[in-house]
């Protein structure tokens, strides 16, 4: 049995199919993990969602910000923007079946000492805390108030965690940590504006890549994540495995062999 992890697919189905063929992926034997953002911006979002749904028994998915945006759009909490490519999903005859399944997916998964998350784990949480916080959002997504959650999900505030945060601001900040974070301060205070690559000066800057803070509490696990295309898959530290290599922006879709650490890539247009 081999475990593979795929980076941000964002509706780029052909490279996903080619990667599965290259590794001779077998549903009897292998597992595919996804670090989220399976849809949006790319060309074949409905086909991608159907493809993954049909293979759900061999799939372990965590939700990304674009997946949550799709679920929010279904409720009417957020209108689609001109750059969204999600409309065919919302109009599809099997839309509810696909999206009901998507909405049951968590924001964080663990396999042994590997953590799978779309954006990252902030420095102020150990892994058990991060799992507990992720479960709070999962409970909201699968609970009776799920539509109201989407109405309160958007926004960059609060930016700083406090254990006594409650209600929607608490759930919004947990969601922002796990699905949107790139740069944060040592206490986890988020900077959600900067999407660029880390520069050479960032070692002294208060806002650093979330994985570059020296006193991270989740220090015993390997974190496998996506979301940050400008990293180009390179964190400089093998304990942090970045898999968003910007397929939808002309880069590659990346497969990562969880056991060997081998990487494979396929371009969307190849
Ligand atoms: Mn993302």
């Amino acid at each position: 049995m081999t475990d593979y992890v795929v980076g941000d697919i964002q509706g780029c189905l052909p490279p996903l199919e080619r990667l599965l063929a290259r590794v001779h992926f077998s549903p009897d034997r292998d597992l595919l993990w996804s670090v989220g953002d399976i849809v949006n911006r790319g060309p074949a979002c409905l086909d991608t969602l159907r493809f993954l749904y049909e293979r759900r028994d061999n799939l372990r998915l965590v939700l990304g910000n674009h997946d949550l945006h799709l679920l929010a759009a279904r409720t009417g909490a957020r209108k689609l923007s001109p750059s969204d490519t999600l409309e065919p999903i919302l109009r599809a005859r099997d839309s509810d079946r696909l999206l009901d399944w998507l909405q049951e997916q968590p924001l964080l998964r663990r396999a042994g000492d590997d953590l799978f998350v779309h954006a990252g784990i902030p420095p102020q949480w150990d892994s058990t805390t991060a799992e507990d916080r992720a479960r709070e959002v999962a409970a909201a997504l699968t609970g009776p108030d799920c539509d109201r959650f989407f109405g309160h999900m958007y926004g960059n505030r609060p930016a700083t965690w406090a254990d006594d945060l409650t209600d929607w601001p608490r759930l919004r900040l947990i969601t922002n940590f796990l699905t949107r974070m790139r740069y944060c301060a040592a206490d986890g205070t988020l900077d959600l504006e900067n999407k660029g690559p880390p520069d050479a000066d960032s070692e002294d800057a208060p806002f650093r890549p979330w994985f570059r803070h020296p006193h991270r509490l989740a220090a015993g696990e390997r974190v496998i994540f996506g979301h940050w295309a400008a990293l180009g898959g390179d964190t400089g530290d093998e304990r942090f495995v970045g898999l968003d290599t910007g397929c939808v922006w002309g880069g590659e879709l990346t497969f990562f062999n969880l056991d060997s650490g081998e990487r494979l890539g396929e371009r969307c247009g190849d």
Side-chain angles (χ1 to χ4, degrees), residues 8 10 35-37 64-67 118-119 179-180 182 226-228 244:
D8 303 35
Q10 297 202 248
V35 289
D37 279 1
N65 54 309
H66 283 294
D67 309 315
H118 182 61
T179 71
R180 294 179 61 207
R182 293 183 184 87
H227 185 60
W228 196 345
D244 185 2

Side-chain angles (χ1 to χ4, degrees), residues 84-250:
D84 289 331
T85 57
L86 302 169
E87 182 73 32
I89 297 175
L90 298 175
R91 284 192 279 105
R93 56 185 156 65
D94 51 349
S95 180
D96 278 340
R97 181 167 42 127
L98 297 167
L99 296 182
D100 287 349
W101 165 76
L102 191 64
Q103 198 157 326
E104 291 169 1
Q105 304 305 312
L107 269 54
L108 181 66
R109 288 182 185 266
R110 173 195 285 272
D113 286 336
D114 284 327
L115 300 175
F116 303 84
V117 65
H118 182 61
I121 311 286
Q124 80 279 8
W125 289 347
D126 63 22
S127 61
T128 306
T129 303
E131 289 179 286
D132 288 345
R133 299 293 88 83
R135 271 192 283 272
E136 292 183 40
V137 176
L141 284 172
T142 55
D145 275 346
C146 57
D147 284 5
R148 289 183 64 216
F149 168 80
F150 292 116
H152 292 273
M153 180 180 75
Y154 292 90
N156 293 354
R157 294 284 179 269
T160 303
W161 179 256
D163 285 334
D164 61 358
L165 269 176
T166 58
D167 301 324
W168 304 119
R170 178 182 179 94
L171 294 175
R172 183 185 311 123
L173 183 52
I174 296 169
T175 305
N176 285 343
F177 281 132
L178 299 176
T179 71
R180 294 179 61 207
M181 174 176 64
R182 293 183 184 87
Y183 289 93
C184 67
D187 68 353
T189 298
L190 286 171
D191 170 9
L192 290 169
E193 303 295 330
N194 187 357
K195 300 182 178 184
D199 59 37
D201 297 326
S202 66
E203 297 303 318
D204 299 322
F207 289 96
R208 303 182 188 183
W210 60 266
F211 50 84
R212 291 257 174 96
H213 288 284
H215 301 297
R216 294 175 39 77
L217 292 184
E221 289 87 1
R222 182 167 67 165
V223 184
I224 297 146
F225 68 101
H227 185 60
W228 196 345
L231 284 178
D234 181 17
T235 65
D237 186 331
E238 62 187 18
R239 293 173 301 162
F240 305 101
V241 180
L243 296 181
D244 185 2
T245 44
C247 181
V248 76
W249 310 117

